[in-house]
Amino acid sequence: MEKWIQSSRDFILLGLLPQNHTCLLLLLLIISIFSVALLGNSAMIHLIRVDPKLHTPMYFLLSQLSLMDLMHISTTVPELAFNFLSGQKSITLRGCRVQSFFFLNIEGSEGLFLASIAYDHFVAICHPLHYPIRISKMMCLETIIGSWTLGSINSLSHTVYLLHIPYCHSRSINHFFWDVPAMLPLACMDTCVFEYMVFVSTSLFLLLPFLGITVSCGWVFFAVFHMCSKERKKKAFTTCSTHLTVVTFYYAPFVYTYLRPRSLRSPTEDKILAVFYTILTPMLNPIIYSLRNKEVLGAMTRVSGTFSSTKTLSFPLYSYFSP
């Protein structure tokens, strides 16, 4: 009974930045990145929704990615900024439930979803004639529903387990959000079974998709190498290498953080790595995948009347590999 009462008390988030003037500048930088991510992802969702020329499977997938990125960055940065500016670092048990469920849900769902986007790129480059058959709207819908469903099941199971662990050590979480690796050292029971569950889910939702993306990118680079046109080869290589870079920013810190043994974990290192997949990646995704796309800029011109398309920006995948 005493353990249950203890587990019902609020937790303390120690945060990412100490309270000083230098870190205030870093916080302003993080808020600026947050604003860019909100603007970029919201713009993509709006453009894809209102412009009929963007009602294709590829942009349907990108709109869902933008939605995931919006939710992803919104689960961490507002709490981080509020705790720093107000000096109130406590988080209620209800807040823990909400933040844990949404963060783990988006983490798993986006891990699967990025693999689906990589498959979309693979088919567009290596099998362009088969694209309308392999990448249909129904397949995209099934992918989206499947990713959200599996992510929700995984998130719910971990959240329920974490909130029923008795925490009889310090209530201070050495992180800027309620994360699994930061919670396990606070438990006063053996968590070997749960750590095995984390290992399995990380492998299924992050490691295996990342390996699949790496293999597909290998095939893509092989196809690009055998292209005759130097211009198309350069554009395709730039698009795919940038895609792989952003994907690596998301998967690698996640996998490294969650698969390391507890004895090798460092709270400071975990917080720095978390910045990549919780703050930087949601900002980079709309820029890399969408906003440098000629069709998106054309949609901006049609919708707002204030943007003009330019030939110097990179073209979508279909213009590279059209038969």
Side-chain angles (χ1 to χ4, degrees):
M1 181 67 181
E2 181 182 355
K3 292 180 179 180
W4 172 252
I5 293 176
Q6 285 183 330
S7 64
S8 300
R9 292 160 47 192
D10 294 350
F11 291 92
I12 304 297
L13 290 173
L14 297 183
L16 177 65
L17 307 170
Q19 299 281 348
N20 57 54
H21 295 292
T22 302
C23 290
L24 179 60
L25 297 178
L26 293 177
L27 178 65
L28 294 177
L29 176 61
I30 291 175
I31 294 176
S32 299
I33 294 175
F34 176 72
S35 302
V36 172
L38 287 183
L39 180 62
N41 287 292
S42 300
M44 277 306 307
I45 294 173
H46 177 70
L47 286 174
I48 294 171
R49 183 180 64 87
V50 301
D51 192 276
K53 292 187 177 181
L54 299 184
H55 293 174
T56 63
M58 181 182 73
Y59 289 108
F60 188 39
L61 293 174
L62 289 177
S63 67
Q64 288 297 308
L65 178 63
S66 293
L67 176 61
M68 289 181 178
D69 286 334
L70 275 176
M71 297 175 64
H72 203 165
I73 198 169
S74 296
T75 59
T76 56
V77 174
E79 181 80 20
L80 168 66
F82 176 79
N83 289 346
F84 182 90
L85 295 175
S86 66
Q88 299 178 3
K89 299 186 176 183
S90 63
I91 180 172
T92 63
L93 191 63
R94 179 177 298 179
C96 292
R97 292 193 187 103
V98 174
Q99 189 176 65
S100 174
F101 176 78
F102 279 102
F103 177 78
L104 293 176
N105 186 3
I106 298 165
E107 169 193 330
S109 301
E110 188 164 349
L112 298 176
F113 202 73
L114 284 172
S116 302
I117 294 178
Y119 177 72
D120 174 270
H121 291 175
F122 167 76
V123 175
I125 295 173
C126 299
H127 304 282
L129 297 179
H130 296 168
Y131 187 89
I133 299 175
R134 295 192 183 185
I135 310 295
S136 62
K137 291 185 177 180
M138 181 56 65
M139 190 279 288
C140 293
L141 183 61
E142 292 173 352
T143 299
I144 292 170
I145 295 176
S147 297
W148 280 112
T149 301
L150 293 175
S152 298
I153 294 173
N154 176 69
S155 173
L156 184 62
S157 62
H158 287 316
T159 300
V160 170
Y161 191 95
L162 278 173
L163 291 175
H164 284 80
I165 291 178
Y167 297 101
C168 50
H169 295 163
S170 171
R171 311 296 296 184
S172 299
I173 305 173
N174 195 359
H175 216 301
F176 60 93
F177 65 96
W178 209 79
D179 198 16
V180 173
M183 294 302 302
L184 294 180
L186 306 183
C188 58
M189 62 172 286
D190 186 9
T191 58
C192 290
V193 175
F194 180 69
E195 290 185 53
Y196 178 75
M197 292 171 53
V198 172
F199 176 85
V200 172
S201 63
T202 302
S203 300
L204 293 176
F205 285 87
L206 296 174
L207 183 59
L208 291 181
F210 179 66
L211 294 177
I213 292 174
T214 304
V215 172
S216 68
C217 285
W219 281 106
V220 166
F221 289 137
F222 180 79
V224 169
F225 180 76
H226 287 84
M227 288 181 179
C228 298
S229 172
K230 292 184 178 180
E231 183 180 356
R232 293 191 344 187
K233 181 186 295 187
K234 180 180 179 181
K235 291 178 180 178
F237 181 81
T238 300
T239 299
C240 296
S241 60
T242 306
H243 169 86
L244 183 60
T245 300
V246 175
V247 165
T248 302
F249 275 163
Y250 181 80
Y251 281 103
F254 253 136
V255 172
Y256 181 71
T257 299
Y258 278 70
L259 292 188
R260 276 183 305 166
R262 185 190 299 183
S263 59
L264 299 179
R265 290 173 185 162
S266 167
T268 302
E269 191 176 47
D270 286 348
K271 288 190 286 187
I272 294 174
L273 291 173
V275 171
F276 283 93
Y277 55 79
T278 61
I279 300 176
L280 292 180
T281 302
M283 179 197 68
L284 292 175
N285 280 346
I287 298 174
I288 298 301
Y289 293 141
S290 306
L291 295 182
R292 294 180 66 247
N293 189 300
K294 182 184 176 182
E295 291 183 0
V296 174
L297 294 178
M300 289 181 179
T301 302
R302 291 187 293 271
V303 172
S304 65
T306 59
F307 294 91
S308 59
S309 59
T310 174
K311 295 182 179 180
T312 59
L313 296 179
S314 57
F315 292 82
L317 288 174
Y318 305 114
S319 63
Y320 299 154
F321 314 105
S322 57

